[in-house]
Amino acid sequence: MCDVCGCQLHEHHHTDSKVVEVNQSLLDANQKQAESNRSHIEKMGAIAINLISSPGSGKTTLLEHTIDALGDSLKIGVIEGDIETERDADRIRAKGVPAVQLTTGGACHLDAPMVHGGLHVLEHFCHGAPLDLIFIENVGNLVCPATFDLGEHKRVILLSVPEGSDKPVKYPTTFKGADLFLITKTDLLPHFDFDMEEAQQEAKTIQPDLDIIALSATSGEGFDQWIAYLKALVAKQVS
Amino acid sequence: MHELSLAQSLLEQLLGLARQHNADTISKVTVILGPFSGIVADSFDFGFNILKKEYQETKEAELILEKPTPEYLCLECQHISAMEPAESQIPGVAGIITGKHSCPKCNSDRLSPQGGTDLILKQIEME
Protein backbone atom coordinates (compact mmCIF):
# COMPACT_ATOMS: atom_id res chain seq x y z
CA MET A 1 0.00 0.00 0.00
CA CYS A 2 1.16 3.47 -0.76
CA ASP A 3 2.19 5.25 2.44
CA VAL A 4 1.24 8.65 1.14
CA CYS A 5 -2.28 8.24 -0.18
CA GLY A 6 -3.25 4.85 1.15
CA CYS A 7 -4.23 3.43 -2.23
CA GLN A 8 -3.56 -0.19 -3.25
CA LEU A 9 -1.53 0.61 -6.35
CA HIS A 10 2.20 0.04 -6.02
CA GLU A 11 3.21 1.39 -9.40
CA HIS A 12 3.12 5.07 -8.60
CA HIS A 13 5.11 7.22 -6.22
CA HIS A 14 4.50 10.70 -4.85
CA THR A 15 7.25 13.23 -5.23
CA ASP A 16 8.38 14.67 -1.93
CA SER A 17 6.89 18.08 -1.58
CA LYS A 18 8.54 20.35 0.92
CA VAL A 19 7.19 23.59 2.32
CA VAL A 20 9.69 26.13 3.59
CA GLU A 21 8.69 29.19 5.60
CA VAL A 22 11.01 31.92 4.41
CA ASN A 23 9.55 35.18 5.78
CA GLN A 24 12.25 37.34 4.32
CA SER A 25 11.81 40.75 2.78
CA LEU A 26 12.53 40.96 -0.92
CA LEU A 27 13.99 44.35 -0.23
CA ASP A 28 16.54 42.83 2.19
CA ALA A 29 19.39 42.75 -0.32
CA ASN A 30 18.86 46.44 -1.09
CA GLN A 31 18.41 47.26 2.60
CA LYS A 32 21.71 45.59 3.57
CA GLN A 33 23.57 47.48 0.85
CA ALA A 34 21.87 50.70 1.99
CA GLU A 35 23.10 50.18 5.57
CA SER A 36 26.60 49.60 4.26
CA ASN A 37 26.33 52.75 2.09
CA ARG A 38 25.29 54.74 5.18
CA SER A 39 28.42 53.72 7.07
CA HIS A 40 30.53 54.32 3.94
CA ILE A 41 29.09 57.87 3.71
CA GLU A 42 29.78 58.46 7.41
CA LYS A 43 33.37 57.28 6.93
CA MET A 44 33.65 59.89 4.19
CA GLY A 45 32.66 62.37 6.91
CA ALA A 46 29.34 63.19 5.27
CA ILE A 47 25.58 63.26 5.66
CA ALA A 48 23.60 62.15 2.59
CA ILE A 49 20.35 63.45 1.18
CA ASN A 50 18.19 61.54 -1.29
CA LEU A 51 16.30 64.00 -3.51
CA ILE A 52 13.10 62.58 -4.99
CA SER A 53 10.61 64.30 -7.30
CA SER A 54 8.91 64.14 -10.67
CA PRO A 55 11.01 65.19 -13.68
CA GLY A 56 11.20 68.97 -13.88
CA SER A 57 10.44 69.86 -10.25
CA GLY A 58 13.75 71.63 -10.01
CA LYS A 59 16.11 69.18 -8.30
CA THR A 60 19.19 70.16 -10.30
CA THR A 61 18.34 73.88 -10.14
CA LEU A 62 17.92 73.55 -6.38
CA LEU A 63 21.38 71.97 -6.19
CA GLU A 64 22.99 74.69 -8.33
CA HIS A 65 21.58 77.42 -6.10
CA THR A 66 22.42 75.44 -2.95
CA ILE A 67 26.06 75.14 -4.05
CA ASP A 68 26.15 78.91 -4.66
CA ALA A 69 24.56 79.68 -1.30
CA LEU A 70 26.81 77.36 0.70
CA GLY A 71 29.95 78.57 -1.04
CA ASP A 72 33.02 77.19 0.69
CA SER A 73 31.28 76.70 4.02
CA LEU A 74 30.53 73.02 3.31
CA LYS A 75 32.26 70.46 1.10
CA ILE A 76 29.66 69.00 -1.24
CA GLY A 77 29.58 65.95 -3.49
CA VAL A 78 26.77 64.98 -5.83
CA ILE A 79 25.57 61.68 -7.27
CA GLU A 80 23.21 62.22 -10.19
CA GLY A 81 20.75 59.58 -11.32
CA ASP A 82 19.23 59.73 -14.77
CA ILE A 83 18.08 57.32 -17.41
CA GLU A 84 20.45 58.85 -19.96
CA THR A 85 23.04 61.64 -20.41
CA GLU A 86 25.68 63.38 -18.29
CA ARG A 87 23.81 66.69 -18.51
CA ASP A 88 22.94 67.03 -14.84
CA ALA A 89 26.42 66.07 -13.65
CA ASP A 90 27.88 68.60 -16.12
CA ARG A 91 25.70 71.34 -14.62
CA ILE A 92 26.99 70.49 -11.14
CA ARG A 93 30.63 70.21 -12.29
CA ALA A 94 30.30 73.66 -13.84
CA LYS A 95 29.86 74.88 -10.24
CA GLY A 96 33.18 73.29 -9.27
CA VAL A 97 31.61 70.46 -7.26
CA PRO A 98 32.54 66.80 -7.84
CA ALA A 99 29.62 64.99 -9.48
CA VAL A 100 29.14 61.37 -10.49
CA GLN A 101 26.55 60.60 -13.12
CA LEU A 102 24.76 57.27 -12.78
CA THR A 103 22.85 56.43 -15.95
CA THR A 104 20.37 53.68 -15.30
CA GLY A 105 19.80 52.90 -18.98
CA GLY A 106 16.06 52.72 -18.49
CA ALA A 107 15.56 51.85 -14.83
CA CYS A 108 13.07 54.20 -13.18
CA HIS A 109 14.90 54.58 -9.85
CA LEU A 110 18.28 54.33 -8.17
CA ASP A 111 18.96 51.42 -5.86
CA ALA A 112 21.56 50.91 -3.14
CA PRO A 113 24.03 48.85 -5.24
CA MET A 114 24.13 51.61 -7.91
CA VAL A 115 24.79 54.25 -5.25
CA HIS A 116 27.52 52.05 -3.75
CA GLY A 117 29.35 52.23 -7.10
CA GLY A 118 28.71 55.97 -7.25
CA LEU A 119 30.22 56.52 -3.80
CA HIS A 120 33.48 54.86 -4.84
CA VAL A 121 33.73 57.05 -7.95
CA LEU A 122 32.94 60.13 -5.86
CA GLU A 123 35.71 59.22 -3.40
CA HIS A 124 38.07 58.87 -6.34
CA PHE A 125 37.04 62.33 -7.66
CA CYS A 126 37.71 63.85 -4.21
CA HIS A 127 41.09 62.10 -3.90
CA GLY A 128 39.97 60.83 -0.51
CA ALA A 129 39.35 64.32 0.94
CA PRO A 130 36.39 64.31 3.35
CA LEU A 131 32.97 65.69 2.37
CA ASP A 132 30.27 67.28 4.55
CA LEU A 133 27.21 66.75 2.42
CA ILE A 134 26.38 64.30 -0.36
CA PHE A 135 23.31 64.91 -2.49
CA ILE A 136 21.93 61.91 -4.34
CA GLU A 137 19.59 63.18 -7.03
CA ASN A 138 17.27 60.30 -7.86
CA VAL A 139 15.78 59.58 -11.28
CA GLY A 140 12.87 61.97 -11.87
CA ASN A 141 9.92 59.87 -10.73
CA LEU A 142 7.51 60.36 -7.84
CA VAL A 143 6.67 56.65 -7.53
CA CYS A 144 9.41 54.03 -7.83
CA PRO A 145 12.32 55.67 -5.94
CA ALA A 146 10.22 55.58 -2.73
CA THR A 147 10.70 51.81 -2.40
CA PHE A 148 14.52 51.89 -2.28
CA ASP A 149 16.65 53.06 0.63
CA LEU A 150 19.95 54.27 -0.82
CA GLY A 151 21.76 54.74 2.48
CA GLU A 152 20.73 58.36 2.84
CA HIS A 153 20.28 60.13 6.19
CA LYS A 154 17.41 62.32 5.02
CA ARG A 155 14.90 61.87 2.25
CA VAL A 156 13.73 65.09 0.66
CA ILE A 157 10.69 65.22 -1.65
CA LEU A 158 10.29 68.15 -4.04
CA LEU A 159 6.95 69.22 -5.46
CA SER A 160 6.83 72.25 -7.72
CA VAL A 161 3.90 74.64 -7.82
CA PRO A 162 2.93 73.82 -11.47
CA GLU A 163 2.48 70.13 -10.56
CA GLY A 164 -0.47 70.86 -8.30
CA SER A 165 -1.20 70.66 -4.59
CA ASP A 166 -3.01 67.32 -4.80
CA LYS A 167 0.19 65.31 -5.25
CA PRO A 168 0.84 64.28 -1.61
CA VAL A 169 -2.51 62.55 -1.36
CA LYS A 170 -2.05 60.99 -4.81
CA TYR A 171 1.44 59.64 -4.07
CA PRO A 172 1.14 58.67 -0.39
CA THR A 173 3.92 56.05 -0.35
CA THR A 174 6.45 58.62 -1.49
CA PHE A 175 5.42 61.17 1.14
CA LYS A 176 5.14 58.52 3.87
CA GLY A 177 8.88 57.84 3.61
CA ALA A 178 9.96 61.49 3.49
CA ASP A 179 11.73 63.61 6.12
CA LEU A 180 11.46 66.97 4.41
CA PHE A 181 8.94 68.24 1.87
CA LEU A 182 10.14 71.11 -0.32
CA ILE A 183 7.49 73.03 -2.24
CA THR A 184 9.49 74.58 -5.09
CA LYS A 185 8.93 77.35 -7.66
CA THR A 186 6.82 79.41 -5.25
CA ASP A 187 7.51 82.45 -7.46
CA LEU A 188 4.92 80.88 -9.81
CA LEU A 189 2.13 80.84 -7.19
CA PRO A 190 0.28 83.82 -8.73
CA HIS A 191 -0.02 81.94 -12.03
CA PHE A 192 -1.22 78.56 -10.79
CA ASP A 193 -4.14 77.24 -8.83
CA PHE A 194 -1.91 75.74 -6.12
CA ASP A 195 -3.49 75.38 -2.67
CA MET A 196 -0.57 75.71 -0.22
CA GLU A 197 -2.78 74.74 2.73
CA GLU A 198 -3.99 71.56 1.00
CA ALA A 199 -0.48 70.43 0.01
CA GLN A 200 0.93 70.96 3.50
CA GLN A 201 -2.02 69.54 5.46
CA GLU A 202 -2.39 66.42 3.34
CA ALA A 203 1.35 65.72 3.39
CA LYS A 204 1.33 66.09 7.19
CA THR A 205 -1.59 63.66 7.49
CA ILE A 206 0.35 61.02 5.58
CA GLN A 207 3.58 61.71 7.49
CA PRO A 208 2.97 63.65 10.73
CA ASP A 209 6.71 64.19 11.42
CA LEU A 210 7.34 65.81 8.04
CA ASP A 211 9.22 69.12 7.91
CA ILE A 212 8.03 71.48 5.19
CA ILE A 213 9.80 74.38 3.48
CA ALA A 214 8.32 76.40 0.60
CA LEU A 215 10.93 78.09 -1.58
CA SER A 216 11.89 79.53 -4.91
CA ALA A 217 15.44 79.10 -6.19
CA THR A 218 15.03 82.00 -8.62
CA SER A 219 13.47 84.60 -6.31
CA GLY A 220 15.34 83.31 -3.26
CA GLU A 221 12.16 83.22 -1.16
CA GLY A 222 12.40 80.59 1.60
CA PHE A 223 15.90 79.61 0.49
CA ASP A 224 17.51 80.71 3.77
CA GLN A 225 15.37 78.19 5.61
CA TRP A 226 16.63 75.37 3.39
CA ILE A 227 20.25 76.44 3.82
CA ALA A 228 19.76 76.65 7.59
CA TYR A 229 18.25 73.14 7.54
CA LEU A 230 21.32 71.80 5.71
CA LYS A 231 23.76 73.53 8.04
CA ALA A 232 21.93 72.22 11.10
CA LEU A 233 21.93 68.75 9.56
CA VAL A 234 25.68 68.75 9.03
CA ALA A 235 26.18 70.16 12.54
CA LYS A 236 23.98 67.24 13.71
CA GLN A 237 21.41 69.61 15.18
CA VAL A 238 18.54 68.01 13.26
CA SER A 239 17.40 64.67 14.65
CA MET B 1 8.41 49.52 -13.70
CA HIS B 2 10.49 48.57 -10.65
CA GLU B 3 8.19 45.54 -10.27
CA LEU B 4 10.26 43.73 -12.92
CA SER B 5 13.53 44.15 -11.02
CA LEU B 6 11.83 43.02 -7.79
CA ALA B 7 10.45 39.95 -9.57
CA GLN B 8 13.99 39.24 -10.75
CA SER B 9 15.35 39.46 -7.21
CA LEU B 10 12.57 37.13 -6.03
CA LEU B 11 13.62 34.58 -8.65
CA GLU B 12 17.26 34.81 -7.62
CA GLN B 13 16.22 34.20 -4.02
CA LEU B 14 14.11 31.22 -5.10
CA LEU B 15 16.98 29.65 -7.07
CA GLY B 16 19.21 30.01 -4.02
CA LEU B 17 16.60 28.36 -1.79
CA ALA B 18 16.09 25.51 -4.28
CA ARG B 19 19.84 24.83 -4.25
CA GLN B 20 19.99 25.06 -0.47
CA HIS B 21 17.18 22.49 -0.07
CA ASN B 22 18.28 20.26 -2.96
CA ALA B 23 14.96 20.79 -4.72
CA ASP B 24 14.51 20.36 -8.46
CA THR B 25 11.42 22.46 -8.87
CA ILE B 26 9.53 25.13 -7.03
CA SER B 27 5.80 24.68 -7.34
CA LYS B 28 4.29 27.44 -5.23
CA VAL B 29 5.52 30.81 -3.98
CA THR B 30 3.63 32.95 -1.47
CA VAL B 31 4.50 36.63 -1.23
CA ILE B 32 2.97 39.26 1.06
CA LEU B 33 2.62 42.57 -0.73
CA GLY B 34 2.23 45.50 1.66
CA PRO B 35 -0.57 47.87 0.65
CA PHE B 36 1.76 50.87 0.93
CA SER B 37 4.82 49.22 -0.62
CA GLY B 38 4.44 51.20 -3.84
CA ILE B 39 4.47 47.91 -5.71
CA VAL B 40 1.67 47.13 -8.15
CA ALA B 41 0.44 43.55 -7.68
CA ASP B 42 -0.55 42.99 -11.29
CA SER B 43 2.75 44.28 -12.68
CA PHE B 44 4.71 42.17 -10.19
CA ASP B 45 2.68 39.09 -11.14
CA PHE B 46 3.15 39.84 -14.83
CA GLY B 47 6.93 40.27 -14.43
CA PHE B 48 7.26 37.09 -12.36
CA ASN B 49 5.38 34.98 -14.86
CA ILE B 50 7.60 36.15 -17.71
CA LEU B 51 10.89 35.79 -15.86
CA LYS B 52 10.13 32.42 -14.21
CA LYS B 53 10.32 30.72 -17.63
CA GLU B 54 14.02 31.51 -17.81
CA TYR B 55 14.87 28.89 -15.18
CA GLN B 56 14.17 25.17 -15.08
CA GLU B 57 13.48 25.27 -11.34
CA THR B 58 10.82 27.99 -11.47
CA LYS B 59 9.18 27.33 -14.86
CA GLU B 60 6.01 25.93 -13.32
CA ALA B 61 5.97 28.01 -10.15
CA GLU B 62 2.64 29.48 -9.15
CA LEU B 63 2.79 32.89 -7.50
CA ILE B 64 0.30 33.65 -4.75
CA LEU B 65 0.17 37.29 -3.72
CA GLU B 66 -1.32 37.99 -0.31
CA LYS B 67 -2.52 41.55 0.02
CA PRO B 68 -3.24 42.61 3.60
CA THR B 69 -5.97 45.19 4.07
CA PRO B 70 -4.54 48.72 4.39
CA GLU B 71 -4.64 50.18 7.89
CA TYR B 72 -4.93 53.82 8.85
CA LEU B 73 -4.21 55.63 12.09
CA CYS B 74 -6.61 58.46 12.89
CA LEU B 75 -4.54 61.47 13.92
CA GLU B 76 -7.50 62.85 15.93
CA CYS B 77 -8.58 59.89 18.09
CA GLN B 78 -5.66 57.43 17.49
CA HIS B 79 -8.10 54.74 16.36
CA ILE B 80 -6.63 52.28 13.85
CA SER B 81 -9.02 51.15 11.16
CA ALA B 82 -8.67 48.75 8.26
CA MET B 83 -10.19 49.81 5.00
CA GLU B 84 -10.72 47.79 1.87
CA PRO B 85 -9.66 49.51 -1.33
CA ALA B 86 -12.47 50.69 -3.57
CA GLU B 87 -13.60 48.50 -6.46
CA SER B 88 -11.65 49.35 -9.57
CA GLN B 89 -13.35 50.78 -12.61
CA ILE B 90 -11.11 48.72 -14.88
CA PRO B 91 -11.59 44.94 -14.72
CA GLY B 92 -8.47 43.10 -13.60
CA VAL B 93 -6.75 46.20 -12.22
CA ALA B 94 -6.55 46.42 -8.45
CA GLY B 95 -8.52 49.23 -6.86
CA ILE B 96 -6.94 51.89 -4.73
CA ILE B 97 -8.36 54.06 -2.03
CA THR B 98 -9.51 57.21 -3.70
CA GLY B 99 -11.23 60.35 -2.55
CA LYS B 100 -11.98 61.23 1.03
CA HIS B 101 -12.42 58.52 3.60
CA SER B 102 -12.95 59.09 7.27
CA CYS B 103 -12.37 57.49 10.66
CA PRO B 104 -15.25 55.13 11.55
CA LYS B 105 -14.99 56.28 15.19
CA CYS B 106 -14.71 60.07 15.11
CA ASN B 107 -15.31 60.81 11.42
CA SER B 108 -12.06 62.75 11.03
CA ASP B 109 -10.45 62.61 7.59
CA ARG B 110 -6.93 62.88 9.03
CA LEU B 111 -6.03 59.26 8.38
CA SER B 112 -2.38 58.31 8.20
CA PRO B 113 -1.31 55.07 6.45
CA GLN B 114 0.23 52.55 8.86
CA GLY B 115 2.92 49.96 8.05
CA GLY B 116 2.47 47.76 5.00
CA THR B 117 5.51 49.08 3.14
CA ASP B 118 7.29 45.76 2.71
CA LEU B 119 7.35 42.95 0.19
CA ILE B 120 7.91 39.63 1.96
CA LEU B 121 8.64 36.17 0.62
CA LYS B 122 6.51 34.18 3.05
CA GLN B 123 6.62 30.57 1.95
CA ILE B 124 7.70 28.30 -0.86
CA GLU B 125 6.69 24.80 -1.80
CA MET B 126 9.23 22.70 -3.67
CA GLU B 127 9.83 19.22 -4.89
Side-chain angles (χ1 to χ4, degrees):
Chain A
M1 196 178 78
C2 170
D3 290 340
V4 179
C5 62
C7 78
Q8 300 299 319
L9 293 168
H10 290 268
E11 286 79 15
H12 75 288
H13 74 280
H14 294 266
T15 48
D16 291 331
S17 176
K18 191 174 179 185
V19 175
V20 177
E21 303 293 333
V22 187
N23 289 318
Q24 201 183 14
S25 170
L26 284 171
L27 300 166
D28 257 9
N30 185 76
Q31 197 56 44
K32 280 189 189 120
Q33 183 61 59
E35 298 305 337
S36 138
N37 287 354
R38 229 179 318 273
S39 28
H40 188 170
I41 290 160
E42 283 158 18
K43 268 184 211 142
M44 291 166 82
I47 295 275
I49 288 179
N50 181 2
L51 290 174
I52 296 176
S53 82
S54 322
S57 301
K59 292 184 294 299
T60 315
T61 304
L62 175 85
L63 287 181
E64 288 172 320
H65 287 260
T66 303
I67 292 163
D68 286 342
L70 286 170
D72 293 332
S73 66
L74 294 177
K75 293 263 176 295
I76 303 170
V78 176
I79 295 176
E80 286 285 349
D82 269 304
I83 290 175
E84 275 303 339
T85 83
E86 290 258 336
R87 286 187 187 191
D88 280 359
D90 286 341
R91 282 171 64 181
I92 300 301
R93 287 174 195 138
K95 296 277 175 195
V97 162
V100 179
Q101 181 76 51
L102 300 176
T103 44
T104 64
C108 50
H109 60 274
L110 292 179
D111 61 25
M114 289 188 233
V115 170
H116 170 237
L119 287 170
H120 281 284
V121 179
L122 190 61
E123 254 182 332
H124 174 75
F125 283 173
C126 301
H127 309 289
L131 291 170
D132 297 309
L133 202 49
I134 295 174
F135 289 103
I136 305 164
E137 182 181 333
N138 222 309
V139 177
N141 180 338
L142 205 51
V143 185
C144 310
T147 310
F148 301 88
D149 186 355
L150 304 179
E152 73 267 21
H153 296 84
K154 293 286 174 195
R155 186 174 290 194
V156 177
I157 310 296
L158 278 74
L159 174 68
S160 66
V161 165
E163 291 169 68
S165 43
D166 58 352
K167 293 302 171 286
V169 79
K170 288 173 94 172
Y171 297 84
T173 301
T174 305
F175 283 83
K176 183 80 197 164
D179 297 297
L180 173 66
F181 173 25
L182 288 183
I183 300 171
T184 61
K185 308 189 189 178
T186 54
D187 53 303
L188 297 177
L189 276 170
H191 311 288
F192 287 90
D193 186 18
F194 187 94
D195 186 340
M196 194 59 94
E197 186 74 12
E198 175 189 50
Q200 299 197 6
Q201 284 239 336
E202 293 186 338
K204 277 273 206 190
T205 298
I206 295 160
Q207 160 61 299
D209 299 326
L210 194 66
D211 288 315
I212 304 176
I213 300 172
L215 58 78
S216 161
T218 45
S219 77
E221 182 198 356
F223 217 80
D224 289 350
Q225 238 183 304
W226 160 242
I227 296 299
Y229 176 90
L230 294 175
K231 286 185 170 168
L233 196 62
V234 171
K236 310 237 170 8
Q237 288 159 352
V238 176
S239 59
Chain B
M1 210 172 102
H2 61 307
E3 282 80 2
L4 200 62
S5 56
L6 290 168
Q8 181 64 43
S9 71
L10 168 60
L11 281 158
E12 279 160 19
Q13 206 168 341
L14 293 178
L15 295 174
L17 285 162
R19 269 195 301 276
Q20 196 185 323
H21 293 274
N22 289 317
D24 299 322
T25 56
I26 292 175
S27 49
K28 211 186 248 182
V29 182
T30 311
V31 168
I32 307 173
L33 201 154
F36 303 115
S37 60
I39 296 151
V40 181
D42 289 350
S43 306
F44 186 70
D45 190 61
F46 178 75
F48 180 83
N49 284 301
I50 289 175
L51 296 170
K52 73 176 185 185
K53 298 188 185 112
E54 300 283 318
Y55 313 99
Q56 198 58 40
E57 297 92 321
T58 55
K59 251 179 166 166
E60 305 293 331
E62 181 195 355
L63 176 66
I64 296 163
L65 285 177
E66 288 184 4
K67 289 172 264 182
T69 310
E71 288 190 335
Y72 294 84
L73 168 74
C74 174
L75 299 178
E76 296 294 341
C77 75
Q78 311 301 313
H79 176 69
I80 293 177
S81 53
M83 260 174 251
E84 285 296 344
E87 276 297 313
S88 171
Q89 305 284 307
I90 311 161
V93 174
I96 48 156
I97 290 196
T98 50
K100 290 278 176 201
H101 42 287
S102 51
C103 174
K105 226 171 171 183
C106 75
N107 219 21
S108 161
D109 61 3
R110 295 183 61 217
L111 297 182
S112 192
Q114 289 300 292
T117 54
D118 216 336
L119 180 68
I120 295 161
L121 172 57
K122 185 187 174 188
Q123 190 193 69
I124 59 174
E125 214 172 298
M126 46 198 172
E127 278 157 20

